[in-house]
Structures are given as structure tokens and as C-alpha cells.
């Protein structure tokens, strides 16, 4: 059998390819990006014609994957946890339409917010949509989750959510591969109106989804992702979800003396939970993310049974788990090495030296200095680092696309100047619709699109905006004279300041496109050019 | 056999190459391996660390527990000190001497070096200088790996074999440079060790 050293993300990608995947749809987002990147680089995927282009955002990705499933093929949509918020409309409704070809949505959660604005737990979405979920514990399970998940999806005609967390996504380990399976043939759903969510059909489909729940639970009781291991010391039972199981076992190199219920498929196996509750004096629940299962088992008021976890403080309420946190929760003392020396200073991330955004912010800052109390509404990308020293250039960062809409709201309130800073990729992700809102009301805002011609923060994926920004803005209705393009370079500083000032004083929607390629992607393309010339 | 290694540095310095070389050797020998990496936002000039775990038994956690690391390998001196709580009482700390100063409040260099040298098992090595002497400045991280090679659980031959396999694509000259860098780092650490034992 073939063995490969794979990141959790890569194991998911390889697992999907080997399970007969026909297409992946995604928007880059840490820690999910490497799934799609791996498929894009995979020779096997190319030979099989697996679709793997980036989507404009997670919602379009979700819907395209649903469309492919409609046609009978195996499809997946991949995103980070906050991306699932963007995709939520299509995602929840896909639960109601059901799937035809296997449909997997992968959500990569980021507890501890290594690269995110919040640490939401995607398992709530799976429960909300009433669909089955798989939460692999390691890279091998991540690989297996794909073929198992596609089978499960086709068996019940339902989408399946695969949930991982940062640690698994970005950790490497050996993975054993299985024989690849062929892609599905094109087949259409028997019911021609199954995907038409008119109220009468939606009501019928919803009943049918509710009717599947018992089957989902039964499947969960038999699932290879759920297992019950007996232990002699029943003063404590432990329920460990997904990767939390690894941290638990790290603390018991010679086997855990307590009964352990490992959970990797939801709806959680009711009978197994009943058994562990019955046979142990108390139960500790370990989950990487929110107290999702803990709340369900505890109920609203039931305090008759001792359940330990994030809610009673046995485990910290926030942040990712690790072996030490689990050791402490087990009541063990942790012997750490020397505490960090006092002289060690934090070293926050920063814009790369020579990054085009630096020149954009330098010009913007200088113009705004004369114009207090102007505010700069920012979006999410490398340019969000403009919030830190030495720039202190931005005042908000909320969600993808919010820069333009927040600037509009502030301008509506009378704030002048109201500036939005947004990247080219984020602009197509969800800035365009907000811009339309501003145009319809001719709100006095200035939108600075910092166009580095790539999705920089996640490592340089292609942006849907490629070469289309001016046309999009003019097409949406920004007056042609107020779509300005400048090159953010030191030598253009004074000219660029003049353009910014002019547009700030324009009493309508104006767009300044600050165009210069990200130096990281530039470096790579130059290197490739050199190699090609050899 | 078990080897739990924390690799530290600043985003973009290339700690993952070190992990790849050690990891390659471990996989060749048929050992279990887990390696947790840092991706995304924190890579842009921020502090980064990678946990590399190698064992002949199944490895559970992707993260090394605090107080259990056998080795800290750091491409930057202050970054080495950020993770001392992970180091086992008999663990080694190998760090580059050259500070990477991209923050205004970077501590006094002498003080950073002194703190490292006060650790019972540490090697501070001017890897940039050594790399320039025996290979190219770019091989700086391989010099550090060389200085750490006595403690990673892999033999020098195994590491050289990995370097050959990994850099082959870039040509023989690059392979030879990196092997020279590895040996120079090792020689420096061995000499220091002998000196420490009064030889
Ligand atoms: S990756 Fe590109 S866009 Fe991001 S900070 Fe670096 S140069 Fe700027």
C-alpha cells in the first residue's frame, strides 16, 4: 500500500481525489487553503479532469458544488469557519434539497484565532442544517473521512459536513492510501423538482430530512469514527471529540485507565453516550472548539450529573486544546521547562518590506492627517496589518466586504471623510454588492482598492478580479472620472496624495485603484520565468 | 527512540526546510512522524514555530507537551527563548547568534546571548558567518541544523542522505554546499562541546 507524508488538509484533498471527486470549489482562507491548492497541483486530479478553480466567495463555491452534485458527480466545497457564514444560505438550503452525487462541505475551524476574527465552531452549522458530520482525529482519518463521507452522502442523499481544526489542517503525518475509485457518471435526480425550494416542495423535503435523522443516528452508532474503549477506573469517563482524543492519549502513553468514548461522527451516538454516563461517576468532555457536545449532554438545567468541560471551567472556555490543558483538566500537574525570559518581546506579523500596501498607507495617512476625524474602514487581507505600528492606518476590520458598507453607514451618519480600504480579491468576494448600495444612494465615500493582483494573505492564489476592476466599478455605476488608477510607489507619493485628496473631496462614490503586484508573487513569477528561460 | 523538536524563527526564515530534512531521514528509517506547521497570517515576519515529533512508537498529539521537548532549534536568538517552557530538563537549545530585528523594542543583544549561554545545554552559533565561509549565506539554516545534528536522533549520514535527496533537483553544487554547511555546523558544536569538557 502506498504511504504519503501529508498535511491534514492534503490528506483531505488526496482522500477526495481517491474517492472519485469531480470538482472542488473554494475561496482561500487559513486554515483551509491547502486543500484546494493540493488538488490544483495533483497530477492524478489533472488527469481525471477534476475542476479546481478558485471561486469568488464561499457562497458561490457552495452553490457550484451543489450544482455539480445535482448532476450526479462527487463534489466538495472547502472553506474556513467564517467562510461558512458567507456560504450559510446555500449550505442550510442544501440540507433541504438534499444531494444527488456525493456532496461534502469541509469547514476548517480556527480555535485560538491563529489567523481569524473569531473562533466559531462549525459543528453548530451542521446541527443547524440537520446533516451528518464527520470530525476526523488525525491525518489518516481525514483521508478516510472523504470516501466514507461521499458514501454516506449518497446513501442518504444528503450533504455531509467534514469539520477539522487548524492543528489537524496544518500538521503532517504518514497516511496510507487506498485504491482510487472512478468518478461518478452524470446522473440527474429522479424527482425533477427536488431542488426547487418552493414552499410546498421545501416543506415536503424538510419532512424527508427530519425523517432521515433516525438513520443518521443509527449510522453514527456503527461509525468507524466513533468508538468506545473500556477502562478499569470508572470514577471518571472521558468523551473526546476529534483531535482532542490525541491530546488525551498523549497523557496516557500506556493506555487510558478510564473508559473513553471517542467521537468523530455526528449526530453523536446516543447509546454510547448513555453507556459512558451510566458506567462512570462523572464525565469529562474534551472538544477542540466550543462546548458543542457538552451543552447538548448537559441540557439547560440538568445539574444532577457531574459533567466537566468548558462550561464549568475544567477546560478553559476559549482557545485550542493541547496536551497540557488536557493534563490539567485531568487533575495532573504539568512540569514545564523554564518560563519564557522577560526580555522576550512579542513579534507581531507585518507587511513584507517593499509591499505595495506600505506606499498606499503612507500616502493615505498623510492626506488624512489634515482631515480629522476621518476614519478608515478596512477589510480582511494583508492590508489589515496596516492596523499595527508603524501605520495605525485603519480603524475597523469586521468581515469580508464590510469596509465599503461600513464606510457607507458612517457617511450616512455624516462622518467625513469615510474611506474604505479593500483588496482586489476581497472586493470581488463581497465588496461589489456593497459598492452598489453606495452607488444607488450616491454616498460620499472613497473606496481604495489595494490591488496587489492576487490573494496575498493566504499565499498568492488567483483573484477573480484579474484585470476587471475598472470595468466592474464603472459597470456598477461609479462615474468614469472617479475611477482612478495609481501605482503605489515612493516616487509617486506626491501625485498619489493629490489623487486621494481630490477623490476624498468628491461628494459621491469614488474608487482609487492602487495597483502594484504583491512582491511575494512577483518573486515567484520572476523565478518561474528564469527557470523557463533556461 | 523519541525525538521531540521545536523549530523556531521568524516567518520567512525557512524553518520548514530543517523540518523537511530531519523528517525525510525519519521516514526513510520507517519511524512515525508528526509535524505541526504554522501557515497564514503569522508568517509575515511574525514569530513562528513548528513542532516536529519523531518516534518508533505511535505518536498521539501533534503538539509537544510543555517541558517535554528534547531540542529547540532556532534560526533567531530571541525566538529560541520564546519556547523555553517546552524544553525538558535535559533538553538542548541550539540557536543562531544573529538577531533578526524587525521590532522597535528588540532587547539588548548581549543580554539575549547571555541568557542563552546561561542555559545548561545550549549552543549559540554564528550561522550566517559560517555559512558564508563554507557555502553561501542561504545555507545558514543548514549550519544550524548541523550544530543540532548530534541531538536530533538521526546520524550525520542519514541527514546528508536527506539533503542529497531534497536538493538534488537544484543541482550537485547546491547539494555539496548544503552538506558542507551541515558539516561546518556540526564541527563547531563538537568543538564547543570538547571545550566545555575542558579538552
Ligand atoms: S504577501 Fe504581498 S501583499 Fe502581503 S504583505 Fe507581503 S508583499 Fe504585501
Amino acid at each position: 500500500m502506498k504511504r504519503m507524508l501529508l498535511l491534514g488538509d492534503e490528506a483531505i484533498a488526496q482522500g477526495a481525489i481517491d474517492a472519485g471527486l469531480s470538482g472542488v470549489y473554494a475561496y482561500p482562507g487559513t486554515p483551509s487553503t491547502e486543500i484546494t491548492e493540493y488538488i490544483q497541483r495533483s497530477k492524478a486530479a489533472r488527469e481525471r479532469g477534476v475542476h479546481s478553480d478558485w471561486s469568488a466567495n464561499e457562497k458561490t463555491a457552495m452553490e457550484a458544488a451543489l450544482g455539480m452534485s445535482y448532476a450526479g458527480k462527487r463534489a466538495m466545497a472547502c472553506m474556513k469557519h467564517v467562510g461558512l457564514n458567507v456560504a450559510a444560505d446555500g449550505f442550510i438550503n442544501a440540507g433541504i434539497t438534499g444531494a444527488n452525487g456525493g456532496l461534502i462541505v469541509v469547514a476548517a475551524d480556527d480555535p485560538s484565532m491563529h489567523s481569524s476574527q473569531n473562533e466559531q465552531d462549525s459543528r453548530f452549522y451542521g446541527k443547524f442544517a440537520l446533516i451528518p458530520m464527520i470530525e476526523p482525529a488525525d491525518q489518516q482519518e481525514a483521508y478516510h473521512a472523504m470516501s466514507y463521507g461521499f458514501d454516506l452522502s449518497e446513501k442518504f442523499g444528503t450533504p455531509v459536513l467534514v469539520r477539522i481544526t487548524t492543528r489537524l489542517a496544518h500538521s503532517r503525518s504518514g497516511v496510507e492510501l487506498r485504491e482510487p475509485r472512478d468518478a461518478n457518471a452524470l446522473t440527474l435526480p429522479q424527482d425533477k423538482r427536488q431542488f426547487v425550494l418552493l414552499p410546498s416542495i421545501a416543506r415536503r423535503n424538510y419532512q424527508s430530512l427530519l425523517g432521515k435523522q433516525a438513520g443518521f443516528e443509527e449510522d453514527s452508532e456503527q461509525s468507524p469514527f466513533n468508538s468506545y474503549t473500556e477502562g478499569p477506573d470508572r470514577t471518571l469517563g472521558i468523551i473526546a471529540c476529534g483531535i482532542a482524543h490525541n491530546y488525551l492519549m498523549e497523557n496516557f502513553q500506556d493506555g487510558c485507565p478510564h473508559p473513553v468514548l471517542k467521537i468523530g461522527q455526528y449526530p453523536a451516538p446516543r447509546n454510547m453516550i448513555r453507556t459512558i454516563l451510566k458506567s462512570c461517576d462523572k464525565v469529562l468532555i474534551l472538544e477542540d472548539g466550543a462546548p458543542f457536545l457538552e451543552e447538548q449532554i448537559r441540557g439547560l438545567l440538568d445539574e444532577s450529573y457531574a459533567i466537566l468541560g468548558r462550561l464549568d471551567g475544567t477546560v478553559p472556555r476559549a482557545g485550542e486544546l493541547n496536551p497540557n490543558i488536557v493534563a490539567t483538566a485531568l487533575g495532573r500537574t504539568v512540569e514545564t521547562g523554564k518560563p519564557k525570559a522577560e526580555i522576550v518581546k512579542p513579534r507581531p506579523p507585518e507587511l513584507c518590506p517593499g509591499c505595495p500596501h506600505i506606499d498606499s498607507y503612507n500616502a493615505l495617512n498623510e492626506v488624512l492627517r489634515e482631515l480629522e476625524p476621518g476614519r478608515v474602514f478596512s477589510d480582511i487581507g494583508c492590508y489589515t496589518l496596516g492596523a499595527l505600528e508603524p501605520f495605525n492606518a485603519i480603524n475597523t476590520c469586521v468581515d469580508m466586504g464590510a469596509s465599503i458598507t461600513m464606510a457607507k453607514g458612517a457617511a450616512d451618519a455624516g462622518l467625513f471623510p469615510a474611506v474604505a480600504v479593500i483588496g482586489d480579491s476581497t472586493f470581488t468576494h463581497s465588496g461589489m454588492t456593497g459598492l452598489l448600495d453606495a452607488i444607488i444612494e450616491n454616498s460620499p465615500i472613497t473606496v481604495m482598492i489595494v490591488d496587489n493582483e492576487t490573494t496575498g494573505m493566504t499565499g498568492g492564489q488567483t483573484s477573480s478580479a484579474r484585470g476587471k476592476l475598472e470595468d466592474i466599478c464603472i459597470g456598477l455605476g461609479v462615474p468614469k472620472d472617479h475611477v482612478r488608477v495609481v501605482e503605489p510607489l515612493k516616487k509617486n507619493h506626491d501625485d498619489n496624495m493629490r489623487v486621494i485628496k481630490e477623490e476624498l473631496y468628491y461628494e459621491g462614490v469614488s474608487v482609487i485603484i492602487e495597483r502594484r503586484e504583491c512582491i511575494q508573487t512577483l518573486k515567484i513569477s520572476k523565478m518561474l520565468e528564469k527557470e523557463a528561460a533556461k | 527512540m523519541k525525538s521531540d523538536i521545536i523549530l523556531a524563527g521568524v516567518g520567512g526564515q525557512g524553518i520548514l526546510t530543517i523540518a523537511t530534512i530531519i523528517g525525510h531521514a525519519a521516514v526513510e528509517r520507517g519511524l512515525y512522524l508528526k509535524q505541526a506547521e504554522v501557515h497564514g497570517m503569522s508568517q509575515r515576519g511574525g514569530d513562528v514555530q513548528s513542532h516536529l515529533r519523531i518516534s518508533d512508537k505511535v505518536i498521539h498529539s501533534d503538539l509537544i507537551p510543555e517541558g517535554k521537548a528534547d531540542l529547540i532549534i532556532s534560526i533567531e536568538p530571541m525566538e529560541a527563548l520564546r519556547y523555553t517552557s517546552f524544553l525538558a530538563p535535559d533538553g538542548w537549545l541550539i540557536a543562531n547568534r544573529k538577531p533578526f530585528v524587525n521590532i522597535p523594542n528588540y532587547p539588548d543583544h548581549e543580554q539575549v546571548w547571555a541568557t542563552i549561554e546561561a542555559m545548561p545545554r545550549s549552543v549559540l552559533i554564528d550561522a550566517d558567518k559560517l555559512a558564508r565561509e563554507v557555502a553561501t549565506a542561504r545555507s545558514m539554516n543548514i549550519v544550524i541544523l548541523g550544530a543540532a545534528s548530534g541531538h536530533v536522533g538521526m546520524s550525520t549520514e542519514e541527514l546528508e542522505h536527506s539533503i542529497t535527496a531534497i536538493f538534488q533537483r537544484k543541482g550537485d553544487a547546491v547539494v555539496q554546499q548544503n552538506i558542507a554547511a551541515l558539516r561546518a555546523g556540526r564541527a563547531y558544536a563538537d568543538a564547543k562541546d570538547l571545550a566545555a569538557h575542558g579538552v
Side-chain angles (χ1 to χ4, degrees):
Chain A
M1 220 181 288
K2 212 171 138 192
R3 256 182 96 86
M4 286 175 87
L5 203 53
L6 297 174
L7 286 179
D9 274 350
E10 296 172 342
I12 283 178
Q14 185 67 45
I17 295 167
D18 291 347
L21 180 76
S22 290
V24 58
Y25 296 88
Y27 183 80
T30 310
S32 70
T33 316
E34 291 77 9
I35 304 172
T36 305
E37 283 188 324
Y38 183 92
I39 297 173
Q40 288 175 338
R41 282 198 309 263
S42 154
K43 191 160 153 260
R46 235 183 349 264
E47 282 167 5
R48 291 152 159 255
V50 175
H51 173 100
S52 61
D53 261 352
W54 294 108
S55 306
N57 65 36
E58 296 83 358
K59 178 170 182 284
T60 65
M62 174 69 224
E63 292 154 352
L66 183 60
M68 183 172 267
S69 159
Y70 177 90
K73 303 261 187 179
R74 291 187 160 187
M76 71 172 171
C78 303
M79 57 203 72
K80 67 181 297 179
H81 58 322
V82 290
L84 193 48
N85 298 333
V86 178
D89 204 354
F91 175 75
I92 306 288
N93 285 333
I96 310 285
T97 60
N100 184 26
L103 176 58
I104 290 181
V105 178
V106 181
D109 292 355
D110 189 17
S112 279
M113 296 179 259
H114 296 280
S115 266
S116 310
Q117 314 91 276
N118 72 33
E119 59 171 47
Q120 71 193 38
D121 189 324
S122 295
R123 291 176 299 170
F124 287 99
Y125 268 115
K127 185 173 183 321
F128 193 32
L130 295 168
I131 61 171
M133 279 184 277
I134 302 173
E135 187 187 12
D138 57 26
Q139 291 78 358
Q140 184 68 56
E141 282 196 4
Y143 176 83
H144 184 51
M146 301 316 284
S147 60
Y148 183 89
F150 279 128
D151 287 347
L152 183 68
S153 170
E154 285 171 6
K155 173 173 152 195
F156 287 103
T158 176
V160 168
L161 179 68
V162 171
R163 185 249 185 178
I164 55 171
T165 53
T166 303
R167 201 49 63 190
L168 177 57
H170 288 168
S171 168
R172 213 174 279 283
S173 182
V175 173
E176 233 158 65
L177 309 191
R178 317 195 315 170
E179 274 307 306
R181 164 198 188 281
D182 285 337
N184 289 355
L186 207 66
T187 49
L188 294 173
Q190 277 170 354
D191 175 359
K192 276 192 173 170
R193 292 198 300 183
Q194 182 192 332
F195 285 71
V196 186
L197 294 186
L198 280 168
S200 62
I201 301 168
R203 278 193 287 267
R204 193 193 62 209
N205 282 6
Y206 185 51
Q207 281 305 328
S208 128
L209 177 61
L210 292 175
K212 288 175 189 169
Q213 300 302 314
F216 295 166
E217 279 190 25
E218 211 174 290
D219 207 275
S220 194
E221 299 281 353
Q222 313 300 328
S223 168
F225 293 93
N226 295 332
S227 63
Y228 193 97
T229 312
E230 272 299 352
D233 183 354
R234 295 186 172 183
T235 53
L236 181 72
I238 299 161
I239 301 179
C241 303
I243 199 167
H245 186 255
N246 302 355
Y247 301 136
L248 172 68
M249 298 316 289
E250 181 69 27
N251 279 286
F252 296 109
Q253 294 293 334
D254 307 316
C256 182
H258 308 286
V260 175
L261 173 52
K262 171 172 176 281
I263 291 185
Q265 184 174 334
Y266 308 80
R270 209 182 279 263
N271 290 328
M272 288 171 143
I273 292 173
R274 202 172 282 137
T275 309
I276 198 162
L277 289 179
K278 255 198 222 142
S279 46
C280 300
D281 301 342
K282 53 187 178 193
V283 160
L284 170 66
I285 301 179
L286 299 170
E287 29 194 351
D288 205 16
F292 170 76
L293 196 63
E294 190 181 338
E295 272 181 356
Q296 288 179 55
I297 294 177
R298 191 187 283 269
L300 195 55
L301 288 177
D302 185 12
E303 282 152 10
S304 60
Y305 192 91
I307 291 168
L308 316 175
R310 290 198 190 258
L311 291 174
D312 74 334
T314 306
V315 179
R317 178 63 184 78
E320 78 169 319
L321 296 176
N322 63 38
N324 296 100
I325 289 175
V326 171
T328 311
L330 289 163
R332 301 176 144 206
T333 45
V334 176
E335 278 170 45
T336 67
K338 264 184 173 257
K340 184 166 73 187
E342 241 168 66
I343 54 169
V344 177
K345 295 290 178 301
R347 196 191 301 257
E350 57 178 10
L351 294 168
C352 307
C355 170
H357 301 329
I358 294 175
D359 295 294
S360 301
Y361 279 136
N362 282 343
L364 180 64
N365 272 350
E366 203 174 323
V367 173
L368 286 178
R369 217 164 288 140
E370 310 163 5
L371 288 171
E372 286 292 319
R375 285 290 184 264
V376 180
F377 299 85
S378 173
D379 231 291
I380 296 168
C382 284
Y383 48 95
T384 316
L385 297 171
L388 308 175
E389 299 287 351
F391 306 103
N392 302 312
I394 63 168
N395 309 109
T396 72
C397 162
V398 177
D399 67 49
M400 302 275 282
S403 58
I404 298 180
T405 31
M406 284 184 73
K408 181 190 184 301
D412 291 346
L415 180 74
F416 171 80
V419 184
V421 174
I422 188 165
D424 50 325
S425 179
T426 314
F427 177 70
T428 41
H429 176 285
S430 45
M432 299 193 304
T433 40
L435 184 60
L436 185 60
D437 280 355
I439 288 162
I440 297 298
E441 294 197 61
N442 200 31
S443 311
I445 64 167
T446 303
V447 179
M448 201 157 111
I449 305 181
V450 286
D451 179 13
N452 57 5
E453 302 178 53
T454 190
T455 316
M457 173 122 279
T458 44
Q461 293 75 26
T462 48
S463 145
S464 307
R466 303 165 266 202
K468 297 198 175 62
L469 285 178
E470 290 94 310
D471 288 349
I472 293 171
C473 295
I474 294 167
L476 284 171
V478 182
K480 221 176 170 157
D481 305 348
H482 295 284
V483 177
R484 313 281 295 266
V485 182
V486 304
E487 192 180 16
L489 277 173
K490 229 191 214 130
K491 63 169 193 203
N492 301 337
H493 181 75
D494 292 339
D495 285 342
N496 294 351
M497 269 180 60
R498 187 175 42 78
V499 172
I500 294 171
K501 207 182 273 178
E502 278 170 21
E503 295 310 330
L504 288 183
Y505 280 106
Y506 171 63
E507 285 181 27
V509 179
S510 54
V511 172
I512 304 167
I513 299 170
E514 304 256 347
R515 180 170 295 141
R516 176 152 76 83
E517 188 177 350
C518 159
I519 57 161
Q520 297 295 348
T521 57
L522 194 67
K523 242 191 255 165
I524 294 168
S525 54
K526 280 214 176 122
M527 202 175 70
L528 292 177
E529 249 171 55
K530 234 168 77 188
E531 271 184 18
K534 260 187 211 163
Chain B
M1 170 279 163
K2 126 182 149 133
S3 189
D4 283 333
I5 306 171
I6 303 259
L7 295 151
V10 176
Q13 277 192 316
I15 58 170
L16 294 186
T17 310
I18 298 181
T20 309
I21 294 169
I22 303 173
H24 185 275
V27 171
E28 286 283 286
R29 212 200 274 173
L31 298 169
Y32 290 97
L33 176 147
K34 277 201 175 182
Q35 186 214 337
E37 300 177 2
V38 178
H39 295 217
M41 185 155 199
S42 36
Q43 277 186 312
R44 309 248 168 278
D47 52 85
V48 291
Q49 54 160 336
S50 169
H51 291 212
L52 176 61
R53 314 193 71 188
I54 299 164
S55 174
D56 52 9
K57 292 196 199 70
V58 172
I59 302 163
H60 294 291
S61 167
D62 302 75
L63 293 172
I64 300 167
E66 283 192 76
K68 291 280 159 54
D70 303 294
L71 183 59
I72 293 176
I73 303 178
S74 181
I75 301 189
E76 207 282 342
M78 183 182 78
E79 292 312 317
L81 294 173
R82 196 182 297 282
Y83 307 105
T84 47
S85 69
F86 281 92
L87 202 59
D90 57 350
W92 277 84
L93 186 150
I94 318 289
N96 189 9
R97 192 179 169 83
K98 191 174 170 205
F100 186 99
V101 181
N102 64 345
I103 47 171
N105 56 344
Y106 194 98
D108 177 59
H109 299 183
E110 299 287 344
Q111 213 184 334
V112 172
W113 294 327
T115 315
I116 292 175
E117 277 168 337
M119 310 258 312
R121 291 172 196 79
S122 67
V123 177
L124 201 54
I125 178 169
D126 194 338
D128 294 76
K129 186 159 149 265
L130 260 179
R132 273 195 307 274
E133 279 168 21
V134 302
T136 65
R138 246 186 304 152
S139 314
M140 168 270 281
N141 51 349
I142 310 298
V143 172
I144 296 167
L145 170 60
S149 60
H151 312 288
V152 297
M154 302 291 140
S155 71
T156 312
E157 292 71 43
E158 285 174 302
L159 294 175
E160 289 184 9
H161 182 77
S162 298
I163 288 176
T164 310
I166 290 161
F167 289 102
Q168 216 157 35
R169 223 167 27 95
K170 300 194 173 170
D172 271 349
V174 178
V175 171
Q176 288 317 317
Q177 279 178 349
N178 280 304
I179 287 181
L182 185 86
R183 289 182 183 165
R186 179 63 184 263
Y188 178 86
D190 284 350
K192 261 207 106 160
D193 202 27
L194 290 179
H197 289 87
V199 181

